[in-house]
Amino acid sequence: MPNRLSDETTSAPALQAYLLGTVGFDACQELQCRLISAPQIWGDGQVHLLVCEHPPILTVGRSSGVDAWHLATLLGGPRLERRWVKRGGGCLLHGPGQLAVYPVVSLRWRGWTVGEYLRRLATAVRGTFEQLGIKTEDDSTFSGRTGSLAALGVTVQNGIASNGAFINVSPPMGLLRSLQGCSPQATRISCLVAERQRPVKMTSVRAELVRQVADALGCDHYHLHTGHPLLKRARQSGPICQGS
C-alpha cells in the first residue's frame, strides 16, 4: 500500500490522525463531542481519527442491559470505574495494552448508511490484522484462533459517527476474561500477542491501523499529529455529551 502521508497537493478528503497516548475515557469522549459540535470542520469531508489507550475503565453499551451492569460491578469491584455509553456493542473493559480507535466522520457528507460505515470500519480492523499475519472470521467479534481480538462500538449523532473500535494488542488478560460473561456473545476474549505467540508492538499496530482506516474511509492521504489542541479543554470540561 502506498504511503499517502501529508500530500498537500491533493484536494480529496484527508484523514487527520491524532496520536493521544494514554488519555482518560471521559476526556476522550468529551473531545469527540467537541469535534461533532464544530460544524465548520465537516465542510470538506475530512475524517478526524483519535487513537489512544485508556486507564482501566469498564464501559457498558446499548447491547448489554442492566444485568451486565450489575455483573460488571460484582466482577470489577468498587475501584473499577464504570460508564454507560450510548454506543453499539456490549460490555467492554478498557486499559493499557488495548488500542482505542475513534474515527469522527460525517456519514451524511459521504452518503453512507450506518451499516456501510460499520462494514468499512471492520474492513480497516481486519486489514490491520492481515498485515500482521493474523486472519479473523468474518464476524462481529473478529474471532481468531485464540478468541475475540477486537470489538466495534459506534455512536451516530446527527449523521456523524464517533466512538469506533477497540483492539486488544497486549492487555493484562485476567480481568478481561473474567468479564467476558458481560458480553452477549460467549466468545473467548484474546489479544494479538496470544494470537501470534510473540511480541506485538503497539506502535506497529497503530501505524498500520491509521493507513487502513484512511483507505477504508476513502481518504487518499493522511496527516499525523501528536496530541490534540482541544484535549486540555476537554479534560477540564463538565458533563459528557453523547449521541444515540
Side-chain angles (χ1 to χ4, degrees), residues 14-18 20 28-39 41-42 44-51 101-110 112 117 121 154-157 159-165 213 217 219 228:
L15 182 140
Q16 305 291 342
Y18 298 91
L20 305 182
C28 198
Q29 291 290 298
E30 183 62 27
L31 176 54
Q32 291 180 84
C33 290
R34 289 180 180 275
L35 292 172
I36 291 169
S37 64
I41 70 174
W42 302 116
D44 56 5
Q46 291 192 72
V47 175
H48 292 251
L49 175 65
L50 310 179
V51 184
V101 182
Y102 300 121
V104 183
V105 53
S106 175
L107 305 187
R108 186 167 46 194
W109 190 91
R110 285 166 171 75
W112 293 342
Y117 173 65
L121 185 56
V154 170
T155 300
V156 178
Q157 178 182 8
I160 297 175
S162 59
N163 289 305
V213 171
L217 300 187
C219 300
H228 195 288

Side-chain angles (χ1 to χ4, degrees), residues 78-100:
R79 294 186 179 181
L80 182 63
E81 290 191 76
R82 295 170 294 278
R83 297 286 187 276
W84 280 105
V85 183
K86 291 183 179 179
R87 57 156 173 78
C91 181
L92 296 173
L93 180 66
H94 313 285
Q98 181 193 78
L99 191 65

Side-chain angles (χ1 to χ4, degrees), residues 22-178:
T22 300
V23 180
F25 182 81
D26 292 350
C28 198
Q29 291 290 298
E30 183 62 27
L31 176 54
Q32 291 180 84
C33 290
R34 289 180 180 275
L35 292 172
I36 291 169
S37 64
Q40 68 271 17
I41 70 174
W42 302 116
D44 56 5
Q46 291 192 72
V47 175
H48 292 251
L49 175 65
L50 310 179
V51 184
C52 64
E53 298 175 62
H54 294 308
I57 190 169
L58 187 72
T59 65
V60 182
R62 291 191 300 266
S63 301
S64 297
V66 176
D67 290 344
W69 178 265
H70 291 314
L71 179 59
T73 300
L74 292 173
L75 293 173
R79 294 186 179 181
L80 182 63
E81 290 191 76
R82 295 170 294 278
R83 297 286 187 276
W84 280 105
V85 183
K86 291 183 179 179
R87 57 156 173 78
C91 181
L92 296 173
L93 180 66
H94 313 285
Q98 181 193 78
L99 191 65
V101 182
Y102 300 121
V104 183
V105 53
S106 175
L107 305 187
R108 186 167 46 194
W109 190 91
R110 285 166 171 75
W112 293 342
T113 64
V114 175
E116 172 65 16
Y117 173 65
L118 287 172
R119 285 190 292 274
R120 288 174 177 268
L121 185 56
T123 296
V125 174
R126 290 196 181 91
T128 300
F129 292 168
E130 288 176 3
Q131 291 300 311
L132 295 171
I134 296 173
K135 291 188 177 181
T136 59
E137 298 292 332
D138 188 16
D139 60 15
S140 60
T141 66
F142 301 94
S143 297
R145 176 179 50 82
T146 60
S148 175
L149 305 175
L152 297 185
V154 170
T155 300
V156 178
Q157 178 182 8
N158 298 324
I160 297 175
S162 59
N163 289 305
F166 306 94
I167 300 173
N168 295 329
V169 179
S170 56
M173 294 303 299
L175 186 56
L176 269 175
R177 286 174 175 161
S178 71

Side-chain angles (χ1 to χ4, degrees), residues 217-229:
L217 300 187
C219 300
D220 71 351
H221 63 297
Y222 58 88
H223 308 272
L224 296 178
H225 310 269
T226 301
H228 195 288

